[in-house]
Amino acid sequence: MEHVKAIRRFTVRPVLPDPLRPLSDLARNLRWSWHTETRDLFQSVDPQGWRAVGGDPVRLLGTVSAARLDELARDRRFLRRLSAAADDLDDYVRGRRWYQAREAEGASLPAAVAYFSPEFGITAALPQYSGGLGILAGDHLKAASDLGVPLIGVGLLYRHGYFRQTLSRDGWQQEHYPVLDPNELPLALLREADGTPSRVVLSLPGGRLLHAHVRQAQVGRVPLLMLDSDVEENGPGEREVTDRLYGGGSEHRLLQEMLLGIGGVRAVRAYCRLTGRPAPEVFHTNEGHAGFLGLERIRELAAAGLDFDGALEAVRAGTVFTTHTPVPAGIDRFDRELVARHFDEGGELPGVPVDRILQLGTESYPGGEPNLFNMAVMGLRLAQRANGVSTLHGRVSREMFAGLWPGFDPDEVPITSVTNGVHAPTWVAPEVFRIGARRIGAGRAEDALTVGGSERWDALADISDAEIWDLRRVLRERLVLEVRQRLHASWRQRGAGAAELGWIDSVLDPDVLTIGFARRVPSYKRLTLMLRDRDRLMDLLLHPERPVQIVVAGKAHPADDGGKRLVQELVRFSDDPRVRHRLVFLPDYGMAMAQNLYPGCDVWLNNPLRPLEACGTSGMKAALNGCLNLSVLDGWWDEWFGPDFGWAIPTADGDGGSGAIDAERRDDIEATALYDLIEQQVTPRFYDRGTGGLPGRWIEMVRQTLVTLGPKVLAGRMVREYVERLYTPAAEAHRALDSTTARELAAWKARVRDAWPQVSVGHVEAVAEPATVNGTAELGSALGLRVRVTLGGLQPDDVEVQAVAGRVDSDDAIADAHTFPLKPAGNADLDGSWVYEGPLALDRTGPFGYTVRILPAHRLLATGADLGLVALPTEATGEGAGVLMR
């Protein structure tokens, strides 16, 4: 009977005795993944079993013996702890939090927000993430829960998750796709009132149907709806739509994204209908993968009698789009014919014209590929509000997508930025939390980590040097032990015998400066930059007085052989007996590893090609644990770097435009700069011991990291910014656009677009000269402008006429521009032209210039650039359009 395969598997669970019933609720709410007391409670149920199931309460309860459960049911001390944990969860889920306090103050906040993402990293027990995008989405949900934001998460349930990574004997990455049984995961099926599973159905070409069940994870207060196509009603091809994250060919990805966007909206509607939760007023698209959600909402409005253009306006008003990629290659693009086939006759979204759908995703700008359907372009066209994920990435995104707003400088492209944050209770080591709790109390410390809001954590400024140094050693020592365990398992898996592995017991040293580097392995993150000069790296690792040790982890995408070669190159170097005790590569980087890796490192290394890192949140998680950042000025580090708490690796070209210098030479220069920093600044500071054998200057940098960076890098700060800057204005715009108003706005836009070719700036003149000294205009004086404009059948209410002024360069290009509104003086002339007048303040010194422009204006536009239309002066506009001051 060896190796007989079961044709079906299911999990048999013990029935919990009545006094232990609350354990089930505690296990099913993923708040345990960031709530230490709840995890401690589960660990005490069966400490050995807890380790065996990797700290997963649902699997633990499936393995505990009935005898042990009976014993616990009679253990009064355990029952008191259980009751306290259950009451605490109830208070957390139902109590008033930051959002409810804002509502009580009269803030007009959204009734609910739906947040769509292709992946969510909440806990290692629910492996539905590949990297930063998913971890960010998970942190967004957790922070929303802590703040009381009425968010509904929407994603897919991948039966194989993302791959598990192992290494071959010669260091080549190997992928394994474990089968996940939804019944062993902390999920519940969404069911109709009669108990049958709630279903979402999509129509596919050729009369096929794609069915999906909706499985719900509870993330604190926030439900996460995950669509699962592995159901009996589907044929084999359809069952595999949700097989794995970022796998399969083009059509497979398209079906996943249709299920996420279109099916996701239908899942939200079913959830709200069945639970009585308010319908979302705002839909947040986390990256382009979920962009089809806007089309499904257009279909809903079309079915209710609204025409396409009116429906488009209504949908845009309540949609927020976040882009995470700084490179066009990171965006999903599909063949137009493939998209057309899925939305044509007999396909999905009846009543929505296929040519209008295709128009939304067309790259209709210089350099675009008109035969491709671009998901980010559609996402931006379907959203009135958009953002990048750090200040620098916002700038990169405005340049990258500027073609969608012709006539506007990149800095006026309507893409803002909200810098990412990380969920502190998930990523802060308990020992670090306890230091804060001892200073200000556990309740205030928890608030500081979740809600945030303070500029600095000054309560941490008076921690003694000895306390900080002891903490750092405890965390480093824990990492060393974990690295040895993981390395041992990896070498056994690579085929080494136990007798060969004695050396692993002396890998890493808890008193040596420890550098961490862990992330996905696309080429731009430059995993192997540290290997550029191997002799120099060896000298750093093996220095007799100031040695360095490095822990590296990361997965290459299964289809990225270039990335796999980088992994292999690093693994082969780390296999060298001369350095293997100082440099280790740990396979299968994921949340469980990360939670000990960030706190255990002294320095967090990040050396991407600037400006290709959108944010780089791993360095934030490290900072929250008192680990110092050593990074290229990219992503969040570009924004918040300070020499008091970290180091900036110089880049080989000032602005970071990746084509400005030969790539090989650039890597040489930046690797040399990295070695110099470690050798001349980082290691001396770590090993420079003063009173009591403590490195005083190093400890001060750790203290500054906690005090200054701590409150900035919080996901609580990030989600509050989303609520205040994006969700609330989107909800207000959504409410302002009922079907009548949406039709009127769409008709107004059509009228403006038709008339725009006739709109022009005519004569521009200065009618009141500024105060001058020796012929030079004085700062603070004003220039009076008079402009003649033609509005081509539009009225002054339809436009805004502006003077745009600022410093000018040698080519008369205006930088850092300010705008000054001009007002109509009287009525239109007989020839239909209007005169506009107004003052222009000379508000800065140096070479100064101005121009005049006309923009469409309507109270329901989020920005003057909304339509991408602008009228500027021609060459012959009169002497007033010149440069005023040199």
Side-chain angles (χ1 to χ4, degrees):
M1 286 290 288
E2 270 191 81
H3 305 306
V4 174
K5 277 210 156 183
I7 57 169
R8 188 162 171 231
R9 59 173 283 171
F10 44 87
T11 304
V12 181
R13 296 193 180 287
V15 177
L16 289 174
D18 272 349
L20 301 183
R21 284 287 164 83
L23 277 175
S24 181
D25 293 335
L26 286 168
R28 294 267 161 200
N29 191 314
L30 293 172
R31 186 198 181 209
W32 60 256
S33 69
W34 71 91
H35 193 249
T36 309
E37 289 85 346
T38 308
R39 284 202 306 279
D40 291 347
L41 178 76
F42 278 110
Q43 185 174 8
S44 69
V45 168
D46 177 0
Q48 237 176 332
W50 180 249
R51 275 197 300 279
V53 297
D56 176 350
V58 172
R59 286 175 59 207
L60 178 78
L61 293 182
T63 60
V64 178
S65 70
R68 175 61 177 154
L69 292 174
D70 288 339
E71 186 186 328
L72 288 170
R74 294 190 302 274
D75 180 338
R76 293 228 299 267
R77 186 161 173 273
F78 181 83
L79 293 177
R80 277 199 303 276
R81 286 177 68 198
L82 174 57
S83 175
D87 289 348
D88 184 70
L89 178 63
D90 188 66
D91 179 56
Y92 175 84
V93 169
R94 298 178 201 281
R96 188 170 103 151
R97 305 193 77 78
W98 172 83
Y99 198 84
Q100 290 68 38
R102 295 274 291 112
E103 286 179 316
E105 291 163 6
S108 166
L109 302 173
V113 175
Y115 179 88
F116 285 63
S117 177
E119 48 172 308
F120 285 90
I122 292 154
T123 161
L126 190 63
Q128 300 289 309
Y129 60 91
S130 75
L133 179 72
I135 302 295
L136 179 274
D139 283 6
H140 194 106
L141 262 53
K142 293 173 189 175
S145 170
D146 291 340
L147 294 167
V149 181
L151 204 73
I152 301 169
V154 186
L156 300 178
L157 180 70
Y158 304 97
R159 277 301 164 99
H160 299 279
Y162 197 52
F163 70 91
R164 303 294 302 270
Q165 178 196 43
T166 59
L167 299 171
S168 70
R169 187 77 202 214
D170 68 347
W172 187 253
Q173 169 178 299
Q174 296 175 315
E175 296 95 26
H176 310 269
Y177 289 91
V179 179
L180 302 173
D181 177 357
N183 299 307
E184 292 180 356
L185 297 173
L187 301 171
L189 259 181
L190 186 65
R191 295 184 182 275
E192 296 294 332
D194 63 3
T196 57
S198 189
R199 272 190 320 178
V200 165
V201 185
L202 268 66
S203 302
L204 303 183
R208 293 174 300 141
L209 295 176
L210 171 59
H211 299 262
H213 286 168
V214 182
R215 297 187 183 269
Q216 182 185 336
Q218 196 60 38
V219 186
R221 299 167 71 112
V222 170
L224 169 58
L225 309 178
M226 307 174 89
L227 288 103
D228 177 6
S229 74
D230 189 8
V231 297
E232 287 176 5
E233 297 91 332
N234 281 333
E238 288 71 46
R239 285 189 86 140
E240 288 180 1
V241 167
T242 55
D243 58 351
R244 58 183 63 170
L245 181 56
Y246 303 142
S250 205
E251 181 161 18
H252 187 78
R253 289 286 289 273
L254 178 66
L255 289 176
Q256 285 190 339
E257 298 188 5
M258 287 174 65
L259 184 60
L260 174 59
I262 298 166
V265 173
R266 293 175 190 172
V268 168
R269 302 301 185 213
Y271 173 80
C272 293
R273 169 174 58 79
L274 292 166
T275 60
R277 289 277 292 260
E281 294 184 285
V282 177
F283 284 77
H284 183 172
T285 312
N286 190 38
E287 201 41 275
H289 311 80
F292 289 125
L293 72 86
L295 298 181
E296 165 64 4
R297 292 170 58 222
I298 288 173
R299 184 201 62 78
E300 291 177 332
L301 293 168
L306 197 54
D307 64 314
F308 181 90
D309 290 310
L312 174 61
E313 295 306 330
V315 164
R316 288 184 76 244
T319 304
V320 173
F321 177 81
T322 298
T323 172
H324 290 261
T325 177
V327 284
I331 294 169
D332 274 333
R333 297 153 92 204
F334 298 106
D335 189 279
R336 273 173 64 95
E337 292 306 311
L338 180 67
V339 176
R341 195 165 75 244
H342 283 79
F343 291 106
D344 221 332
E345 287 301 311
E348 207 21 275
L349 304 179
V352 183
V354 70
D355 60 320
R356 298 301 301 272
I357 292 173
L358 293 174
Q359 225 174 330
L360 286 167
T362 299
E363 298 182 358
S364 54
Y365 43 79
E369 293 262 0
N371 62 327
L372 291 179
F373 186 93
N374 183 313
M375 294 297 288
V377 165
M378 176 180 69
L380 288 163
R381 285 182 175 143
L382 284 170
Q384 201 176 62
R385 285 164 183 80
N387 68 288
V389 291
S390 66
T391 302
L392 177 60
H393 179 237
R395 196 168 85 216
V396 169
S397 300
R398 286 188 288 278
E399 288 167 0
M400 185 163 140
F401 294 111
L404 295 174
W405 289 272
F408 289 87
D409 289 339
D411 58 0
E412 286 195 288
V413 165
I415 299 175
T416 182
S417 62
V418 174
T419 300
N420 281 344
V422 297
H423 184 246
T426 297
W427 300 109
V428 166
E431 294 85 349
V432 179
F433 176 75
R434 283 199 286 272
I435 279 190
R438 283 203 294 276
R439 293 288 175 299
I440 59 173
R444 282 181 62 203
E446 197 173 317
D447 273 356
L449 288 181
T450 53
V451 182
S454 53
E455 285 299 297
R456 291 164 56 86
W457 285 346
D458 283 325
L460 299 179
D462 62 349
I463 306 173
S464 73
D465 283 11
E467 197 176 357
I468 287 180
W469 195 237
D470 289 347
L471 167 75
R472 293 296 323 144
R473 192 181 192 286
V474 165
L475 298 174
R476 202 182 306 117
E477 189 164 36
R478 183 191 304 149
L479 174 62
V480 168
L481 294 173
E482 171 154 346
V483 165
R484 289 174 187 171
Q485 286 171 355
R486 287 180 179 273
L487 201 59
H488 195 274
S490 171
W491 273 95
R492 288 306 303 267
Q493 188 280 322
R494 289 173 74 183
E500 297 173 61
L501 298 179
W503 61 273
I504 286 180
D505 294 339
S506 57
V507 162
L508 303 192
D509 177 333
D511 291 308
V512 165
L513 171 65
T514 306
I515 298 177
F517 182 102
R519 46 196 28 90
R520 288 184 307 113
V521 189
S523 57
Y524 76 86
K525 291 185 187 266
R526 296 194 294 187
L527 172 76
T528 54
L529 188 71
M530 63 180 81
L531 302 183
R532 202 82 190 155
D533 180 339
R534 294 177 182 218
D535 292 340
R536 197 154 175 205
L537 176 60
M538 272 195 183
D539 289 346
L540 287 169
L541 295 171
L542 304 175
H543 194 284
E545 286 90 42
R546 299 200 297 263
V548 168
Q549 58 196 15
I550 306 179
V551 183
V552 184
K555 293 178 175 180
H557 187 281
D560 178 12
D561 276 358
K564 291 184 194 179
R565 276 193 290 277
L566 296 179
V567 169
Q568 185 178 43
E569 194 183 334
L570 198 122
V571 170
R572 284 180 168 171
F573 181 82
S574 72
D575 286 350
D576 184 328
R578 290 173 294 172
V579 296
R580 64 188 182 185
H581 63 300
R582 287 273 189 262
L583 191 152
V584 294
F585 180 89
L586 300 180
D588 208 31
Y589 179 44
M591 288 187 78
M593 181 196 294
Q595 281 168 318
N596 280 335
L597 183 54
Y598 301 129
C601 291
D602 298 294
V603 171
W604 196 254
L605 174 62
N606 188 25
N607 46 229
L609 278 170
R610 185 180 191 273
L612 301 185
E613 182 84 273
C615 184
T617 50
S618 63
M620 296 177 164
K621 294 160 195 151
L624 274 173
N625 289 286
C627 172
L628 308 182
N629 276 271
L630 167 62
S631 173
V632 164
L633 287 176
D634 203 0
W636 74 276
W637 193 236
D638 181 69
E639 206 166 319
W640 290 332
F641 159 72
D644 294 346
F645 46 74
W647 295 272
I649 302 168
T651 41
D653 52 71
D655 187 40
S658 42
I661 186 173
D662 167 71
E664 289 291 311
R665 177 163 160 66
R666 178 178 176 152
D667 283 357
D668 282 339
I669 292 170
E670 295 184 11
T672 301
L674 171 61
Y675 300 134
D676 287 349
L677 270 173
I678 294 173
E679 204 170 75
Q680 295 160 24
Q681 295 188 38
V682 180
T683 55
R685 190 158 289 196
F686 182 86
Y687 288 106
D688 178 15
R689 304 297 157 91
T691 326
L694 300 178
R697 291 198 308 157
W698 184 277
I699 291 168
E700 185 50 36
M701 289 181 81
V702 173
R703 192 181 282 116
Q704 283 305 318
T705 288
L706 293 170
V707 168
T708 311
L709 284 181
K712 287 192 169 95
V713 300
L714 298 179
R717 185 267 316 148
M718 169 186 79
V719 171
R720 287 200 329 271
E721 280 193 45
Y722 273 109
V723 168
E724 289 164 351
R725 293 178 43 211
L726 293 166
Y727 294 166
T728 299
E732 287 166 353
H734 161 80
R735 290 172 202 148
L737 277 181
D738 58 21
S739 54
T740 306
T741 321
R743 272 195 198 92
E744 286 170 2
L745 179 60
W748 175 84
K749 282 190 172 182
R751 185 164 62 80
V752 168
R753 284 195 183 99
D754 285 347
W756 206 255
Q758 280 73 54
V759 173
S760 63
V761 177
H763 188 67
V764 180
E765 59 180 328
V767 289
E769 291 294 339
T772 58
V773 177
N774 299 328
T776 303
E778 268 192 326
L779 180 69
S781 62
L783 169 75
L785 285 185
R786 179 180 293 148
V787 186
R788 189 172 291 277
V789 301
T790 304
L791 298 183
L794 298 179
Q795 293 300 306
D797 285 351
D798 298 321
V799 299
E800 183 168 356
V801 180
Q802 300 173 336
V804 182
R807 283 201 188 85
V808 290
D809 62 16
S810 56
D811 296 324
D812 290 348
I814 298 173
D816 191 20
H818 285 193
T819 59
F820 301 88
L822 306 176
K823 299 291 180 207
N827 296 318
D829 294 351
L830 293 174
D831 63 356
S833 62
W834 296 77
V835 171
Y836 276 70
E837 291 181 343
L840 184 156
L842 305 183
D843 55 0
R844 61 203 80 181
T845 55
F848 189 94
Y850 70 86
T851 186
V852 173
R853 67 180 182 184
I854 309 172
L855 305 175
H858 191 286
R859 64 184 178 81
L860 294 172
L861 294 186
T863 155
D866 190 293
L867 279 80
L869 298 175
V870 59
L872 294 161
T874 58
E875 291 298 315
T877 52
E879 93 294 345
V883 173
L884 279 178
M885 300 164 65
R886 273 278 179 219

